[in-house]
Amino acid sequence: MARDEDPTRDSAPDLQILGDQITLQPRSYVESRRHDDQEPLMHNMARFRSEPLQFLREVSLYVSGTGWRAYDNFIGQPIFYSGFSEQMKNAVVSAPLLQKRISQLADRRLEIEEKEGWFKKDDKDFVTKKAQRRAIIESGIQEVAEKMTNDMICKFESKTFIRGAYYLVTQLLTRAYHQGIHVSSEEVLRLRKVAEVAAAKKQSIIFLPSHRSHVDYVSMQLICYRLGLALPVVVAGDNLNFPIVGSFLQHAGAMWIRRSFGNDLLYTTLVQAYIDTLLQGGYNFECFIEGGRSRTGKLLSPKFGILSFILDSLLSGRVEDAIICPVSTQYDKVIETEGYVTELLGVPKKKENLADFLSGGSSVLSLRLGRVDVRFHEPWSLRGYIDEQLTKITKSPGNLNLDVRTPENATIKQKLLRTMGYKVLSDINNVSVVMPTALIGTVLLTLRGRGVGKSELMRRIEWLIARVGAKGGRVAHFGNAPLSDVVERGLEVLGKDLVGLVQGLAEPTYYAVDRFQLSFYRNMTIHLFISEALVSASIYTRVKLGGGPAHQEISHDALRDQVLFLSSLFRGEFIFPGEGLVVNLEKTLVGLENDRVLDLKRDEQGKILRVGLADEERAAGRENYDFYCFLIWPFIESAWLAAVSLMGLTPPLGHQDDGIWIEVSKSHNTAQLLGKTLYHQGDLSYFEAVNKETLKNSFQRFEEEGIVYVMKSRDPKVPPRLRLASEWMPTRDPDKSGALQPSGRLWNFIERIASSRREGKNRRDGATVSTRVIRLADELGAKLFEEAAKPESKADAQLSDEEAAKLKWAVKAERRRRKLEGRAHL
């Protein structure tokens, strides 16, 4: 690759953190390939079996705290001292917000007891008894709050512990990720300067990382420890709080929260009080913007739970300001991907336990997974961001009192949360680094044919690197290393279970062994090309028809409408550029024209009239155009599959008036079963389309658009249920035993998705869907209704009068909201 084409040429040096050593590596340096015994960085921490004396010496250095290991002069508020946990617990339980809630709950209980006749107002000692009872209730609630607080808060108690923990975790992590953790020297220096200012002002830095692996929070703690920053308190689900490991993590920075708060007002207020206390004290904080780990490789939609607590701390005035720092964590290979695949294929997730942790950890130690790459976006003031957004949202932000609960304030808070969540995701994408494994996975899954020769693989990777740079992205592991080394190294990390090699041919030929798992790495690059992918898939509505170049052109208006439709369909799936559809579409078209992928025909005023493939692209075998289509086609197939499965939610003959609702989880499982069947029968091109996460996202969009209604019961034992909206309900043919008819609003919706779907070799979309596929969807749906209609299930499958009234109100409110939003809808 020519030097002036190297997208990393202007980037700052990387820092490689591997055990005790920090190494400066210019411009994403890759060490030259050497034998293991010539790579001292990989063995810089002694092992007991081979070097027992050196091992014991290193352990003593950490325990005694020699040099930087002492962790005495870090930047931030004091932590790791005896009594820290007790001090924090006292601050939380005495918080005015929590004490007010305890008082309110005591009042509610007293009202109930008074109605039940525990007290009589005509008793002469009524006031005294009530006051005594109130004191008992408050004391009981206080005890519960103290117990909850003690279980929740992180316990930064001992520097000896954290020194030993750092040594232990570094030993484990660098055996699996043998090339260590890489960060940008420029970003680290900037972060330290921000941390110094924040510490002086007693302000917290709130780290908001992407979340692909349990290693995410481990790597963040190691970076902060090694670079002298105060460790953040990390929000963690209590599913990880199992014996031994839970206590270890809690003393290393974890705060445990429930996966669901339900209607527990005390617990909700307790979490708010703890977050208030941390931010008021200037303690660093960390939570994952996506909620759970991404099983698909790309960023998930933001979850607003913890963000809403943080925002409330500032909007209420209880906290003056905090610093937001979005963080991207990328991997050569993610440890958990094999487990993710089984979950996405419908196997229930196993509950975490110590036995699995130990057995899984021991197997990981022998792996060689490359490196972890952590990038920090430029931190920004949350107070400054709130003020800026309030100025846009309302004409007189100074007169707002957002601490008061009103419908108008709730709407404003929701807008702030949404814009903040997507800004953080955009910031994460902007600093993300594309790893070699992601480049290889992307190329292998965007080529036609069974496999690819090594020279062609390297040529396409080189093209992809240039495209990543042109889109403002960053690539890793380039600079001094030859491309062949980069490819070879990435292939070694992926391993033969993901990428196979056919020997004995004219040249070595690689092929995707596990396309489903490899799609995890392809999805790490899709955010850079989502605009090009949507445009290409929209043009495909004409290209798939065949004929000459003129016949495959599409009008600008038709292209815009299809891009708008697909953008709305995938609103919850991808992070789109913020310029708006019109601006982004024009920019994308011009970019593809300059790359000679598309040919744009304009009128005399320069307005684009028609769009088609460029002659150069046709001469090259459509390889670049196909690349963009291959990126988005699996997601289009998944949305199509989810929509087809909705046909099965049409009540069978004899059940139309039963008012039966189907469990959401069962409808998802049925959609996945339908997809697996269609794939093996040749009606589905991509097995990735049965991905449970993508199917769930499609159902979520259908709910948002009013295609299906979802009812969630107050009773936690009753699972969420759904029903197809009446205006989207297909009709049945009474002359054919109630067969579903391929017509109506839902059918037209399915057909529109299918127009951008990849054409199969042995099928034609319309005819196939209207016969075998719809019949199969109907048969599976009939089983759902049959099961729901059983006496033992029917009570839960039908709505109560209260739920029916709630649904009626929710439907009207949702329609008003969509109308006011003025956004594109399906």
Side-chain angles (χ1 to χ4, degrees), residues 599-645:
D599 186 41
L600 309 182
K601 292 184 178 178
R602 299 177 171 85
D603 62 15
E604 295 178 354
Q605 286 74 40
K607 180 182 178 182
I608 301 173
L609 298 178
R610 302 190 66 78
V611 180
L613 293 181
D615 291 339
E616 294 88 338
E617 183 64 18
R618 292 182 183 278
R622 265 177 33 187
E623 62 177 5
N624 297 336
Y625 170 77
D626 283 352
F627 167 83
Y628 297 123
C629 288
F630 274 113
L631 284 177
I632 197 69
W633 271 336
F635 294 93
I636 292 176
E637 283 245 298
S638 191
W640 174 84
L641 171 61
V644 168
S645 74

Side-chain angles (χ1 to χ4, degrees), residues 71 79-80 84-85 153-158 161-166 168-169 217-218 220-222 224-225 230-236 244-256 284 286:
Y71 198 57
I79 51 177
F80 291 111
F84 173 87
S85 304
I153 63 173
C154 98
K155 299 178 178 180
F156 286 145
E157 283 285 325
S158 167
F161 166 82
I162 200 62
R163 292 166 190 158
Y166 178 89
L168 172 64
V169 173
Y217 39 80
V218 174
M220 271 296 301
Q221 298 297 81
L222 293 181
C224 288
Y225 187 99
L231 299 190
V233 175
V234 185
V235 178
I244 302 178
V245 173
S247 177
F248 178 90
L249 295 176
Q250 193 171 20
H251 283 79
M255 65 168 277
W256 301 120
N284 291 342
E286 178 184 345

Side-chain angles (χ1 to χ4, degrees), residues 16-161:
Q16 180 193 45
I17 303 173
L18 191 60
D20 280 359
Q21 298 193 26
I22 297 183
T23 308
L24 189 68
Q25 297 190 338
R27 294 197 294 109
S28 298
Y29 163 83
V30 177
E31 68 273 23
S32 57
R33 297 177 58 78
R34 292 171 292 191
H35 297 293
D36 286 354
D37 58 0
Q38 293 177 313
E39 294 181 320
L41 282 178
M42 296 167 63
H43 304 287
N44 62 319
M45 300 190 81
R47 300 184 183 184
F48 183 77
R49 289 182 181 179
S50 57
E51 301 174 276
L53 295 179
Q54 180 65 14
F55 172 83
L56 293 173
R57 177 182 174 277
E58 286 183 359
V59 171
S60 69
L61 290 176
Y62 279 90
V63 174
S64 62
T66 303
W68 60 267
R69 302 171 190 81
Y71 198 57
D72 286 333
N73 299 314
F74 58 84
I75 302 170
Q77 305 308 313
I79 51 177
F80 291 111
Y81 58 84
S82 180
F84 173 87
S85 304
E86 190 66 26
Q87 180 181 321
M88 182 61 66
K89 184 175 78 170
N90 292 337
V92 173
V93 296
S94 63
L97 186 71
L98 181 60
Q99 290 301 312
K100 182 179 178 181
R101 177 64 73 193
I102 290 174
S103 180
Q104 290 172 346
L105 293 173
D107 287 341
R108 289 187 185 183
R109 182 61 199 168
L110 281 172
E111 287 178 11
I112 293 172
E113 292 182 355
E114 194 170 338
K115 288 179 181 178
E116 293 176 348
W118 288 38
F119 314 106
K120 294 183 178 178
K121 289 187 178 181
D122 52 358
D123 287 353
K124 60 179 180 179
D125 53 354
F126 168 75
V127 175
T128 303
K129 284 184 177 180
K130 188 173 181 180
Q132 289 174 343
R133 179 59 183 160
R134 179 190 178 87
I136 292 172
I137 293 173
E138 286 189 343
S139 175
I141 298 174
Q142 185 80 13
E143 286 183 18
V144 172
E146 289 178 3
K147 173 68 167 59
M148 285 180 172
T149 304
N150 188 64
D151 292 342
M152 177 195 301
I153 63 173
C154 98
K155 299 178 178 180
F156 286 145
E157 283 285 325
S158 167
K159 281 190 178 175
T160 302
F161 166 82

